[in-house]
Amino acid sequence: MIDFHCHLDLFENPDAVASECEKAGVYVLSVTTTPKAWRKTSGLAKNRKHIRTALGLHPQLAHERSGELPLLEAFLGETRYVGEIGLDGSPAYRSHAEIQLKVFERVLSASRNGGGRIFTIHSRGAAEAVISTLHRHQCCSTAVLHWFSGTRTELDTATALGCWFSVGPAMLRSEKGRQLAARMPRDRLLTETDGPFAQDGKRPLMPPDVRMAVTQIAKLWSTSEQDVERQLNINLKELLSRVPDTSSRSSA
Ligand code: MN
């Protein structure tokens, strides 16, 4: 099982959750929301086989944390994964669009060095802007749009641009989310939870809950859960083969 977007460091007891994932054999991409969180959060992956860490600066924090950009650039050589990054155009964050874009573009260009990165990208209320920004910065990196909630046309544009997608139980609860997921290319799809932000009722989603997404995808594809898991594992392997894993990246 694969959780390609989870905030391990924001759970009440990150170390216990990390151990649980390791025991369950869940591959986890543990994303960070600020460069300052990088050291401690990447520490959770230490001596654990299935956990990887992404270096990020969340668009909802861009206006408060843009001062940490030099720190992000300093750590960039240590990782193959960058996120959570992106743009947020929802009402509460719309007024910070300019600084969000500045941060997003700077991270995208810095990520060109060393063979590109795998991105996990937030695009709530800003799908079009995210897609056009990625288009301008296209190079060797591969972008995974997490919890995509744009229109069908925007989805098709992102697909044509070569984007990948990660979908989770919270997204697949809505009819719109299921329709979008059904339209995503099967060979560029991964599962995620976005826990602990995303919840199942009042309970934060945990990485093993990607099982619920696998069940939903199997319904959308009219196939078995085993088939879905097989395809997702092939996809992960393919994605990782696209971006070099250099030895300088200790947490790769
Ligand atoms: Mn997230």
Side-chain angles (χ1 to χ4, degrees), residues 12-238:
E12 232 161 78
N13 189 340
D15 204 61
V17 178
S19 293
E20 216 174 291
C21 295
E22 191 72 2
K23 217 162 60 188
V26 187
Y27 174 102
V28 177
L29 182 61
S30 155
V31 306
T32 52
T33 55
T34 68
K36 270 191 184 150
W38 168 253
R39 277 276 171 257
K40 202 168 169 198
T41 306
S42 57
L44 291 169
K46 225 175 170 187
N47 302 319
R48 291 184 169 122
K49 250 171 58 191
H50 307 296
I51 300 174
R52 304 291 182 271
T53 316
L55 171 65
L57 205 169
H58 198 290
Q60 294 177 348
L61 298 173
H63 60 292
E64 291 169 356
R65 303 294 192 121
S66 61
E68 290 179 38
L69 273 171
L71 198 57
L72 185 144
E73 286 168 341
F75 292 144
L76 205 50
E78 299 180 25
T79 185
R80 186 184 190 187
Y81 309 88
V82 171
E84 177 163 2
I85 55 165
L87 301 172
D88 190 310
S90 54
Y93 299 98
R94 209 172 281 161
S95 57
H96 304 300
E98 204 177 318
I99 184 72
Q100 284 185 32
L101 185 62
K102 201 182 131 204
V103 167
F104 187 36
E105 295 205 286
R106 189 151 143 200
V107 176
L108 292 178
S109 11
S111 300
R112 284 168 179 259
N113 300 328
R117 300 292 186 286
I118 294 168
F119 301 128
T120 176
I121 294 184
H122 175 108
S123 58
R124 190 165 75 186
E128 202 186 334
V130 162
I131 294 162
S132 63
T133 308
L134 287 173
H135 191 58
R136 286 198 302 280
H137 287 265
Q138 229 177 4
C139 76
C140 38
S141 297
T142 301
V144 182
L145 300 183
H146 110 88
W147 197 335
F148 185 82
S149 57
T151 63
R152 283 199 322 185
T153 310
E154 286 162 347
L155 171 63
D156 293 348
T157 310
T159 302
L161 193 63
C163 291
W164 286 55
F165 302 92
S166 58
V167 302
M171 169 178 172
L172 296 171
R173 260 199 305 266
S174 80
E175 181 56 28
K176 186 196 172 193
R178 287 194 296 272
Q179 281 180 6
L180 287 170
R183 203 174 170 87
M184 291 167 180
R186 293 186 184 190
D187 57 356
R188 281 191 249 153
L189 189 72
L190 295 167
T191 43
E192 64 164 51
T193 60
D194 202 15
F197 287 131
Q199 303 195 327
D200 181 32
K202 283 211 164 119
R203 178 184 71 88
L205 286 168
M206 309 271 287
D209 292 322
V210 287
R211 162 70 50 210
M212 292 151 69
V214 170
T215 305
Q216 287 290 346
I217 296 167
K219 282 186 196 157
L220 296 176
W221 290 0
S222 307
T223 185
S224 67
E225 294 186 16
Q226 289 87 331
D227 274 346
V228 172
E229 280 208 68
R230 203 172 304 135
Q231 183 63 49
L232 296 175
N233 287 329
I234 291 172
N235 293 353
L236 179 62
K237 234 175 146 180
E238 166 61 23

